[in-house]
Amino acid sequence: MLLSAILVAILAIISQWWFFAPITRCMTYPLTTGLLVGIFMGNPMLGMLSGATIQLVYLGWINTGGVMPSNTMVAGIFGTALTILSGANPKLAVTFAVPFSLIGLLMVEIYQSVNSFWVHKADTELAKGNIKAVRFLNYVPSLIVATIVYGIPAFCLVFFGRGWAQGMLRMIPKSLTVALEVVGAMMPALGIAMLLNYLGKKNLVPYFFVGFFLTAYLKLQIMAIAIFAGLLAYLLYINAKANSTTKTNVPAKKKVRRLTLQNRNGEEDQVSATPSNEKNDEPTTVVYRVKLTKGDLVKTWLWEQSDESAYNYERLQALGLTNMMIHPIKKLYPKEKQADELKKYMVFFNTEPHMVGPVIHGIALSMEEARANGAKISAEDINGVRTGLMGPAAGIGDTVQQGIIFPILASIGATMALEHNYFGPIMFTLIFELIIYSIGYWMFMYGYKKGKSSVVSILKSGLLDKVTNAFSIVGLMVVGTMAATRVTIKTPLVWHVGQSVIRLQSLFNQLAPSLIPLLITLLVWWLLRKKVNASIIVVGIFVVGILCSYLGILATI
């Protein structure tokens, strides 16, 4: 049990201490951590089932702008661990996880508040010219805080908790256990409804019902629905793209402030570093005497994966991005200027860090290289571009990554996991990370090569809307499938009319299979659209589920 407690504690630590994103990114998701907790505690099947069950509740909980609506890391790890310790039915994992997720919000506040101290310490060290301290402060103090806030509670839960967890489960009456299972079966409706609320443009909502009824009537599996939805979305995308090329009224191009890099491999490398304006559109020519190699770019991109190691409320990603720039700054500037050049990155900064956001860092790197070679680019120019682009990049990145790619893959992975297939969480983790980090690497390099015009061209092309709509179609159809299969609620009501027995669920099945799960999901969606807080809905599901179970109105399938 000691080894299990240590391993689960380490997992809890790195679920918040994001020291290297390709390792830590999926540690925020119960689908991934549930299986790992199960392996560490000697019951991988129960761990996987518990993690997948918990994940369904949090399919639509999207973290944007540094705001975390619920702590899914704590919910997944602590909720799964308690389920295994108590030996409970995995359907009860949700009822264990939800309270932990709320406690986890306090843990996040402590972690990110304390990390603000290290930012001020880094300011002081840079003023002294101590660059090495920035790297130390980005990793070590935040590790200590994560260990105290996350690691020690996780260790204590696993090492000391088996006895009281099993005792607690024995104290719960059988009728209440059944009622809590009803609550757990209803909870996925919240995650599905949140995704529907996020993806549900009026013209796309019918695709949700297409996915639902294909599953309810034809019993198609989620992979079949995903493949069908993908092909349909591709055809619609091609059609939309073809229609856009037929338009003849093309608006005149506007002049844009831009940075263009040319001929980096030649002897006379030049850069257009002067902003365009109506009076003077001639660029300033700069000869590159100091250049970044492909190896330098790759190293910088790798360091960028630690940009949230010391994530904090005051300046969010600032310390991590300053750490990222240490290598290129050392390459571009003499030692006496390095600390001063790093100071410009110690300002508030926050964007989607893994997939679209890296384009900003590539652009900043190209501007920094030009500045080091004498271009008239000030520190204010670099930060002006970074600040101006962090909002649009976050909007694009969070929408596509958290709102589309994640729920599609997580829905498929959770469904496979709940069918006792270990490949479900493994497939989700590998494919999800392969997609976002491949795109992130390409965006980083694209931003460096093309400069600021790279983002402008993407935003003005209209391509993003077409791609987003295509992915949304896939997402909505997959979500429809989840509503039909993972909100596992039925009614046991029976009416006796003379010698006849009328089972209400049989009537519903003849009218529309899975009608009750659909109605529950649509009700929760309606509440979200009415701006009812998700936490209030969680409480409501607990109350309604327990009450309806005791009254014999609802039961699990």
Side-chain angles (χ1 to χ4, degrees):
M1 189 55 67
L2 176 62
L3 179 59
S4 296
I6 292 173
L7 292 174
V8 172
I10 292 173
L11 182 63
I13 292 168
I14 65 175
S15 73
Q16 178 62 76
W17 180 55
W18 301 325
F19 69 96
F20 188 66
I23 294 175
T24 62
R25 180 67 183 92
C26 283
M27 301 309 163
T28 62
Y29 296 130
L31 180 57
T32 300
T33 56
L35 176 58
L36 291 175
V37 170
I39 293 172
F40 296 159
M41 297 183 67
N43 196 335
M45 180 57 68
L46 181 55
M48 180 180 68
L49 294 174
S50 301
T53 302
I54 295 168
Q55 184 66 78
L56 294 180
V57 180
Y58 297 104
L59 280 176
W61 295 73
I62 297 171
N63 304 328
T64 57
V67 178
M68 182 176 288
S70 188
N71 194 324
T72 59
M73 299 98 76
V74 172
I77 295 173
F78 286 62
T80 300
L82 188 56
T83 303
I84 295 174
L85 286 170
S86 61
N89 188 312
K91 292 181 180 179
L92 290 176
V94 171
T95 62
F96 295 149
V98 170
F100 276 123
S101 74
L102 298 178
I103 297 172
L105 292 178
L106 176 61
M107 298 165 76
V108 168
E109 290 183 4
I110 295 172
Y111 178 79
Q112 296 187 11
S113 296
V114 174
N115 278 347
S116 299
F117 289 103
W118 323 133
V119 179
H120 291 285
K121 181 64 175 176
D123 288 334
T124 302
E125 294 300 323
L126 277 178
K128 298 176 183 177
N130 186 1
I131 293 176
K132 291 182 179 179
V134 172
R135 188 148 286 168
F136 175 86
L137 290 167
N138 187 57
Y139 294 106
V140 178
S142 56
L143 169 60
I144 295 172
V145 178
T147 300
I148 295 172
V149 176
Y150 285 82
I152 292 177
F155 177 88
C156 292
L157 174 66
V158 176
F159 191 72
F160 300 108
R162 182 177 295 277
W164 68 261
Q166 293 176 344
M168 178 190 66
L169 190 64
R170 286 193 296 268
M171 290 174 60
I172 300 176
K174 178 63 176 178
S175 58
L176 181 56
T177 301
V178 172
L180 291 175
E181 290 180 359
V182 171
V183 171
M186 292 174 63
M187 275 294 181
L190 176 57
I192 293 168
M194 293 183 75
L195 280 175
L196 189 56
N197 195 45
Y198 193 78
L199 298 174
K201 298 179 183 178
K202 288 184 178 180
N203 61 318
L204 298 179
V205 168
Y207 291 103
F208 166 79
F209 292 98
V210 171
F212 178 87
F213 287 112
L214 282 175
T215 301
Y217 282 102
L218 302 181
K219 308 300 181 184
L220 294 181
Q221 298 296 316
I222 192 169
M223 282 300 296
I225 296 292
I227 293 170
F228 174 76
L231 293 173
L232 177 61
Y234 177 73
L235 291 174
L236 293 172
Y237 167 76
I238 293 297
N239 184 59
K241 188 175 180 181
N243 288 338
S244 65
T245 59
T246 61
K247 295 181 179 180
T248 56
N249 297 324
V250 180
K253 292 183 178 180
K254 296 180 181 180
K255 291 184 177 180
V256 181
R257 289 172 58 89
R258 58 200 172 94
L259 180 74
T260 303
L261 303 176
Q262 302 171 348
N263 303 325
R264 290 187 175 276
N265 296 323
E267 292 294 328
E268 297 180 354
D269 293 333
Q270 297 179 344
V271 62
S272 171
T274 300
S276 298
N277 55 64
E278 294 182 0
K279 295 182 180 180
N280 178 23
D281 200 30
E282 293 297 324
T284 299
T285 300
V286 178
V287 177
Y288 276 76
R289 296 180 176 83
V290 182
K291 294 189 294 185
L292 297 173
T293 66
K294 182 64 176 291
D296 294 325
L297 298 177
V298 173
K299 287 180 181 177
T300 304
W301 177 76
L302 289 172
W303 282 114
E304 191 262 334
Q305 305 311 313
S306 300
D307 64 346
E308 293 185 319
S309 295
Y311 199 72
N312 61 89
Y313 277 131
E314 184 173 326
R315 296 187 224 172
L316 285 85
Q317 298 168 355
L319 183 56
L321 293 177
T322 305
N323 174 69
M324 173 194 76
M325 290 301 296
I326 289 176
H327 177 76
I329 290 294
K330 283 185 173 182
K331 181 70 177 289
L332 294 172
Y333 295 96
K335 187 173 183 178
E336 62 273 11
K337 296 183 64 177
Q338 291 170 4
D340 286 336
E341 293 298 337
L342 280 173
K343 290 178 183 178
K344 72 172 80 72
Y345 295 96
M346 287 295 297
V347 299
F348 174 92
F349 190 90
N350 191 49
T351 194
E352 183 279 311
H354 306 126
M355 195 173 75
V356 177
V359 72
I360 302 175
H361 311 316
I363 293 168
L365 205 58
S366 70
M367 295 179 74
E368 195 70 71
E369 187 181 41
R371 172 178 164 85
N373 283 281
K376 295 180 180 179
I377 298 175
S378 66
E380 291 75 17
D381 291 333
I382 295 175
N383 274 334
V385 170
R386 295 171 72 237
T387 303
L389 293 177
M390 70 180 185
I396 298 168
D398 287 334
T399 298
V400 176
Q401 182 190 147
Q402 296 189 62
I404 298 176
I405 296 176
F406 161 70
I408 292 173
L409 293 175
S411 297
I412 296 171
T415 298
M416 296 174 68
L418 292 171
E419 293 171 352
H420 296 73
N421 188 342
Y422 286 114
F423 186 66
I426 296 172
M427 177 277 300
F428 159 73
T429 303
L430 294 179
I431 296 180
F432 180 70
E433 294 209 353
L434 179 64
I435 290 174
I436 64 173
Y437 292 112
S438 295
I439 295 175
Y441 176 82
W442 181 85
M443 292 294 285
F444 181 89
M445 296 300 176
Y446 185 74
Y448 171 75
K449 292 176 182 177
K450 299 295 183 180
K452 196 169 74 173
S453 61
S454 59
V455 177
V456 175
S457 64
I458 292 173
L459 294 176
K460 291 177 69 176
S461 67
L463 176 64
L464 179 65
D465 288 336
K466 299 182 183 68
V467 173
T468 300
N469 281 342
F471 275 110
S472 295
I473 289 170
V474 180
L476 284 167
M477 291 184 66
V478 169
V479 168
T481 300
M482 299 299 291
T485 58
R486 295 306 163 197
V487 184
T488 53
I489 287 295
K490 67 177 182 179
T491 178
L493 288 175
V494 177
W495 295 333
H496 296 274
V497 181
Q499 299 296 320
S500 302
V501 177
I502 300 175
R503 301 184 184 278
L504 186 58
Q505 185 62 51
S506 297
L507 293 178
F508 285 151
N509 289 341
Q510 293 175 15
L511 179 63
S514 302
L515 181 60
I516 293 178
L518 177 62
L519 293 177
I520 293 173
T521 301
L522 293 179
L523 174 61
V524 176
W525 182 35
W526 179 79
L527 292 173
L528 290 172
R529 289 176 64 86
K530 292 297 182 181
K531 308 300 182 182
V532 178
N533 188 281
S535 297
I536 295 176
I537 296 175
V538 168
V539 175
I541 291 175
F542 266 93
V543 173
V544 172
I546 292 173
L547 183 62
C548 288
S549 176
Y550 274 103
L551 294 176
I553 298 173
L554 294 177
T556 58
I557 295 176

